[in-house]
Amino acid sequence: MRVLIVGLGGVSRAFRNWPERTLGQALVAAGHEVTALTYWQPDQPHLGLTERAEEIDGIVVRRVKPQLWPGRETIAALESLPLPDIAHVIHPRNVLALQAVRWLRRRGVPVVWTWLGPYHDRWLVADRERPYESTIHPEWLIYTLPQLITRGLRDGRWRDHWRNYAIHRPLRDVAAFIPCSQHEAQVLRELGFTQPMSVVPLWLDMTFMDGPAPSLEATFSQPIIPYIGQLTPRKGYDVLVAAMPAIIARHPQASFVFVTHNPAQRAELQRLASELGVAANLHFLGTLSEEQKLALLRASAVLPFPSRYEGFGLPVLEGMAAGVPVVSTNIPVLNELIRDGEDGLLIPYNDAKALAEAILRVLDDQALRERLIAGGRRALRERFAPERLVMQVIEVYRSVL
């Protein structure tokens, strides 16, 4: 089968576990021919999206300027590639989708879509950073030209309404959805989509995660407690900082190591740490290579993941794969990944006190720690095995061909 993946930046040498790469990698391993059409972003070299064309893990990668309209690079790339049997679009704000889906439909190529987090959509939620504290607005989404014209005549916000339409119109042409969670499937149904849906969670490059890692280049006092994610309110970095004093009171040498490729709120992070008197225990590393991130995880005592919203939550699986107990928020999707007390711990939303208590439980209870590590490894084998999950994806492909 010839498969085209239409993603954002997801097939990159810089990131091993982005979903476009792990999907393509597993499809190649299953004997299929895979091409990925993704963003070209030379202004952000740390993302590894500077080459226009390359091959990664057997995936033929073509990168184009991310543009909704007229999308000439997208169309030119599609016309230069062999016609796929099926296309798989990934991400809710994929600006390549408008032209790509139209082009593919005209040639009879069916499209499936993994939306990968409905509340990342700024037209659906009033606050993408805290969607569970916000109002959801399905009525804001624009799927048709009459809706676009009506909204534009009403308030004159033509540019914003056009982008809204361009992002959401392709969803109507999808042959099937492959939601990455039951929550995503539920939201799609609530939005009125009636296409077939088969929930298939994401997975990791387990060959890499189980392979050798170099020594950790930086030196930290134990226990090491990492934060891995963007420095945005959605990821809950402030919740972890607020939990630090209680943890440091019992473990004065604890090292809180912050790793991120989006340091947007680093100044606020440092301000909060100074205000709480824990700045000496905070270490900011910024962007790490995948190898060094794996080394950090393996050296860590516990992985806090106090997110306020996740489309999926790959760091949870990365923690499990690295043999570090995970503590995360009891919110949709994350509570599909973690079975509380078996392969991780779940805490109430936005609760720094509960986060500190859960981290201390892991640090101070060796039996609990060992049970969670074993449970995490079992979860990866039983629920997130790439070779089994990719076959579920392939079955969806076959069902719509």
Side-chain angles (χ1 to χ4, degrees):
M1 193 184 312
R2 184 177 289 147
V3 182
L4 172 68
I5 298 171
V6 183
L8 300 192
V11 182
S12 161
R13 297 188 191 279
F15 295 94
R16 302 299 292 250
N17 291 317
W18 276 359
E20 293 94 331
R21 180 169 175 178
T22 53
L23 171 62
Q25 182 186 65
L27 288 169
V28 169
H32 301 282
E33 182 180 328
V34 182
T35 301
L37 182 64
T38 67
Y39 289 13
W40 174 62
Q41 294 182 296
D43 57 329
Q44 300 184 63
H46 65 285
L47 298 179
L49 309 176
T50 59
E51 297 294 327
R52 287 289 197 165
E54 60 183 325
E55 184 173 316
I56 299 173
D57 294 340
I59 307 162
V60 175
V61 183
R62 295 291 182 271
R63 298 196 180 93
V64 299
K65 181 180 179 181
Q67 185 182 60
L68 277 169
W69 186 270
R72 293 189 183 94
E73 288 192 13
T74 299
I75 295 170
L78 288 167
E79 290 178 345
S80 72
L81 296 167
L83 188 68
D85 298 309
I86 193 160
H88 191 154
V89 181
I90 295 178
H91 209 276
R93 292 176 290 118
N94 191 328
V95 304
L96 306 183
L98 178 67
Q99 292 290 26
V101 171
R102 176 184 295 188
W103 188 94
L104 291 160
R105 290 269 297 173
R106 285 175 177 170
R107 287 153 183 82
V109 178
V111 177
V112 300
W113 201 312
T114 298
W115 215 22
L116 206 61
Y119 295 162
H120 289 306
D121 189 331
R122 70 177 178 88
W123 289 283
L124 181 58
V125 295
D127 183 358
R128 290 193 301 140
E129 296 297 318
R130 298 174 174 85
Y132 296 121
E133 302 174 37
S134 179
T135 303
I136 309 303
H137 291 281
E139 73 279 5
W140 287 357
L141 305 186
I142 298 176
Y143 301 105
T144 69
L145 284 172
Q147 287 177 315
L148 168 62
I149 293 168
T150 300
R151 302 276 185 91
L153 291 172
R154 186 172 63 200
D155 59 21
R157 294 167 50 210
W158 289 100
R159 183 179 180 85
D160 187 64
H161 294 325
W162 157 250
R163 290 188 62 84
N164 184 336
Y165 167 78
I167 289 294
H168 298 108
R169 176 65 187 90
L171 291 164
R172 295 299 191 189
D173 293 326
V174 172
F177 285 101
I178 308 181
C180 65
S181 67
Q182 295 293 342
H183 175 257
E184 183 172 308
Q186 176 186 336
V187 173
L188 285 165
R189 292 188 185 101
E190 289 171 352
L191 292 175
F193 290 99
T194 58
Q195 295 98 318
M197 296 187 198
S198 300
V199 175
V200 182
L202 305 183
W203 59 84
L204 303 179
D205 178 350
M206 291 306 299
T207 300
F208 172 73
M209 295 303 297
D210 290 339
S215 299
L216 188 60
E217 292 174 357
T219 301
F220 303 106
S221 57
Q222 298 287 340
I224 297 173
I225 302 171
Y227 170 94
I228 297 176
Q230 301 180 55
L231 284 188
T232 61
R234 177 169 58 85
K235 294 294 187 177
Y237 74 89
D238 55 313
V239 180
L240 178 57
V241 176
M244 286 173 63
I247 299 166
I248 292 168
R250 195 178 301 177
H251 296 272
Q253 301 303 312
S255 297
F256 292 80
V257 181
F258 282 69
V259 174
T260 180
H261 67 269
N262 178 6
Q265 298 195 8
R266 182 179 179 181
E268 178 65 8
L269 167 69
Q270 300 287 359
R271 186 193 68 77
L272 289 172
S274 296
E275 192 175 88
L276 292 172
V278 296
N281 294 76
L282 188 151
H283 307 271
F284 184 85
L285 295 186
T287 302
L288 279 188
S289 69
E290 292 288 89
E291 291 76 15
Q292 278 296 299
K293 186 175 77 171
L294 180 57
L296 173 64
L297 283 170
R298 289 180 178 175
S300 297
V302 58
L303 175 64
F305 196 65
S307 181
R308 293 184 171 98
Y309 174 69
E310 285 298 318
F312 186 75
L314 282 170
V316 168
L317 301 190
E318 290 177 326
M320 291 177 179
V324 54
V326 180
V327 176
S328 192
T329 319
N330 189 1
I331 57 174
V333 188
L334 293 177
N335 56 21
E336 293 181 39
L337 306 186
I338 292 175
R339 293 171 176 171
D340 188 36
E342 295 182 23
D343 44 37
L345 297 180
L346 292 171
I347 59 166
Y349 177 88
N350 209 33
D351 193 332
K353 182 174 183 290
L355 177 61
E357 290 172 351
I359 290 173
L360 288 169
R361 282 181 62 198
V362 174
L363 293 177
D364 298 338
D365 186 338
Q366 185 62 25
L368 171 64
R369 175 182 173 78
E370 291 175 359
R371 183 170 76 247
L372 296 180
I373 291 172
R377 289 174 174 152
R378 185 170 58 251
L380 290 173
R381 290 194 308 270
E382 295 177 356
R383 295 190 285 134
F384 305 104
E387 59 277 5
R388 185 172 68 253
L389 294 176
V390 76
M391 293 309 299
Q392 296 177 26
V393 172
I394 292 168
E395 283 304 310
V396 177
Y397 295 170
R398 290 174 175 157
S399 74
V400 300
L401 283 173

